[in-house]
Amino acid sequence: MDLYAVLNLAPGASPAKIKAAYHRALLVAHPDKNNASQPTPDIAAIKDAYRVLSSPALCAKADQDQLRCPRPAQVILLADFDEQGADAWTHMCRCSGAYAITGAEMDHGVHLVPCTSCSKVVWVGYELAEEE
Ligand SMILES: [Zn+2]
C-alpha cells in the first residue's frame, strides 16, 4: 500500500503539496466529476491517505508499519535554527534551500520539515513551552 500513489504524489512531498494533491484527488474521484475512463482510488482511501500523510504522529507510525512516509534525514534542534522575526525559524540545507518552521506549526506538533528546494526532510527537535 503506497499512500503517495493514492494521492498521485512523489514520496517526500511537502505538506502544501500533499494538501493540494488531496483536494485534486477528491475532485477526480467525485462521482459527479469523474468522467475519466481510468479507475480512480475511492474517496475513503484518499481521505485515509491524506489523514496519515498530513499528520506527523500517524506518519511516524505508518513508517514503522513499512508504509511510505517522509523519512527525516537528520534531527536538527530548534536551537540550531536561525530566528526570523517573532514566529519563524529557518535552517540552511546543504543545498541552497532551507528548512523553515513557524511557532503555529510547533503549536500543532509539527516536527517533520521539508527543505524548500531539495527532497530532504528533517526532524526539528523542540519542547513545547509550558503555559503558565
Ligand atoms: Zn535542501
Side-chain angles (χ1 to χ4, degrees), residues 3 13 17 19 46-47 55 60 67 72-73 76 80 95 112 125 132:
L3 298 176
K17 279 187 181 163
K19 193 171 187 181
I46 291 167
K47 286 186 172 169
S55 160
L67 300 180
I76 300 177
D80 293 327
C95 74
L112 283 171
E132 300 217 4

Side-chain angles (χ1 to χ4, degrees), residues 93-99 115-120:
C93 180
R94 281 199 197 122
C95 74
S96 55
Y99 304 102
C115 174
T116 53
S117 91
C118 72
S119 61
K120 275 197 194 153

Side-chain angles (χ1 to χ4, degrees), residues 49-94:
Y50 176 67
R51 192 173 57 83
V52 173
L53 291 177
S54 63
S55 160
L58 287 172
C59 206
K61 183 175 183 317
D63 211 19
Q64 289 166 11
D65 297 340
Q66 304 296 315
L67 300 180
R68 291 168 68 183
C69 263
R71 193 181 286 276
Q74 61 183 122
V75 174
I76 300 177
L77 297 179
L78 187 64
D80 293 327
F81 274 58
D82 299 315
E83 201 163 348
Q84 309 285 343
D87 202 36
W89 290 262
T90 61
H91 184 82
M92 293 305 292
C93 180
R94 281 199 197 122

